[in-house]
Amino acid sequence: MLGYNLNHSSDVLYNQYKQKLKVLDKKYHDEVHFGYFLVSDPQFSKSIEANTKEGWKYLDSSMKIPPTILINNFINDAKSIELTKPKYIEKKVCKLHCYLCENALADSVVQKIKFMKIKCNCNTMVVHMNCANNFIMKYSSCDLCKTYYDITPHCSSLRDIL
C-alpha cells in the first residue's frame, strides 16, 4: 500500500517514509504523512491482512482519525466471517453390565439394585451377587498384583459408586 511493505518491521517502514519525504515533491508530503500514519497503525495492517468486513468496521470505530472513504471501499470488497456451529456427537445410551458375565446390571444408573464391588490394587469390578460369590470361591487373590480381593456388597444405585 502506497509503496510500503506491511511485512517489514516498523524501523524499515520509518526509513521508507523518510526516503519518500526526501525523494517526493513537497506537495505530496501530506499524502506521504497520511500513508505512513495508516501503515504504522498495527490495527490497520491487521485489517489489511485479514480483509474481513467485521475487521474494517472495527477499525473504522477504533481509529482516532479514520479514513472513512478508504475503509468503506475495503468494506465493500471484503468478505464476511462465516461462523459455523460445532457438531456434537450423540453418545449411545448403553446399559451397564456385569464385569464377569456381560449381562446388564441395571436398566439405568439410577435404578436401585443389589450388586457387589470386587476390588484389588490393579482393578475394580462391579458384578452381580451370584457372579461375585462364584468368582470369589474360585479365585481368592488377584493373579496380577497377588493381593486378596476386597469385596463390598451394595444395595443402591450405580450412580452412588461411579
Side-chain angles (χ1 to χ4, degrees):
M1 168 156 199
L2 300 173
Y4 294 104
N5 188 349
L6 298 176
N7 296 330
H8 287 135
S9 67
S10 58
D11 188 38
V12 173
L13 290 175
Y14 182 74
N15 290 337
Q16 288 177 353
Y17 163 69
K18 287 296 186 185
Q19 187 66 27
K20 286 179 193 284
L21 286 178
K22 289 179 186 173
V23 172
L24 293 175
D25 226 359
K26 286 219 182 231
K27 63 180 181 179
Y28 298 116
H29 280 207
D30 288 339
E31 293 175 12
V32 172
H33 290 305
F34 186 67
Y36 179 70
F37 168 73
L38 291 177
V39 170
S40 63
D41 186 4
Q43 291 177 343
F44 187 80
S45 61
K46 292 292 181 189
S47 294
I48 285 182
E49 286 176 19
N51 197 23
T52 60
K53 289 184 181 184
E54 293 80 9
W56 288 112
K57 288 178 184 175
Y58 173 74
L59 181 69
D60 192 23
S61 64
S62 68
M63 285 183 80
K64 292 179 183 176
I65 308 168
T68 52
I69 296 172
L70 179 67
I71 290 176
N72 287 336
N73 287 339
F74 276 116
I75 288 174
N76 293 335
D77 296 338
K79 61 186 182 306
S80 291
I81 296 174
E82 293 182 21
L83 299 177
T84 57
K85 293 182 181 178
K87 296 178 182 177
Y88 299 107
I89 299 170
E90 289 186 37
K91 291 184 177 179
K92 295 180 182 176
V93 178
C94 57
K95 295 181 180 178
L96 295 168
H97 56 84
C98 176
Y99 191 86
L100 300 173
C101 71
E102 298 296 326
N103 291 335
L105 276 171
D107 293 330
S108 69
V109 181
V110 293
Q111 181 183 358
K112 186 176 177 180
I113 58 166
K114 289 185 177 183
F115 62 94
M116 281 199 177
K117 191 174 182 183
I118 302 174
K119 208 173 175 187
C120 69
N121 289 341
C122 62
N123 197 6
T124 300
M125 299 178 267
V126 179
V127 296
H128 295 110
M129 296 290 255
N130 296 338
C131 296
N133 290 333
N134 293 337
F135 181 76
I136 291 302
M137 291 298 179
K138 288 182 184 174
Y139 310 102
S140 60
S141 63
C142 179
D143 293 335
L144 297 175
C145 62
K146 306 295 185 212
T147 58
Y148 288 105
Y149 288 114
D150 180 26
I151 305 161
T152 312
H154 290 277
C155 185
S156 65
S157 66
L158 292 170
R159 181 177 60 182
D160 295 338
I161 65 158
L162 296 177

